[in-house]
Amino acid sequence: MRALLLLLAVLATPLSLAQTDPTVVTGRVVDGAGMPLPLVNVVVAGTIDGDVTDDAGRFAFPTRQEGAATVRATLVGFEDVER
C-alpha cells in the first residue's frame, strides 16, 4: 500500500506543475475629459474574472483566460465599452 501512495504522489506532481500562472489584467478607466472613473465594473468578457476601479480609475485582477481577450467596462449612466 505504501508503494502505491508514493506512485500516486509522483504521478500527480506533473499535473500540478502543468497549470499556468494567471495573467494579471491592469488598466485605468477615464471619461471623455480624461477624468478617472471610480466604481466601474471591469470584467473579461465571457468570464467572471473582474474588478471594480478605485478612486483613480485603476483596476488589476488575475484571469486564466489565455490569448487575446475582450475587456468590458460598465458604469450606470455611461455607455458600456468593450476593448
Side-chain angles (χ1 to χ4, degrees):
M1 184 67 172
R2 181 178 226 177
L4 178 60
L5 292 176
L6 178 59
L7 178 62
L8 288 176
V10 170
L11 291 176
T13 301
L15 296 176
S16 64
L17 294 176
Q19 295 177 355
T20 59
D21 289 333
T23 300
V24 176
V25 179
T26 62
R28 187 168 183 237
V29 180
V30 296
D31 64 12
M35 297 300 295
L37 291 173
L39 303 176
V40 177
N41 186 33
V42 181
V43 298
V44 174
T47 73
I48 60 170
D49 301 336
D51 196 11
V52 176
T53 59
D54 64 12
D55 290 338
R58 294 180 303 237
F59 62 89
F61 60 90
T63 183
R64 294 218 181 258
Q65 179 77 24
E66 294 182 9
T70 301
V71 176
R72 179 181 298 131
T74 59
L75 179 63
V76 175
F78 287 81
E79 185 176 332
D80 294 356
V81 175
E82 288 190 0
R83 300 255 164 103

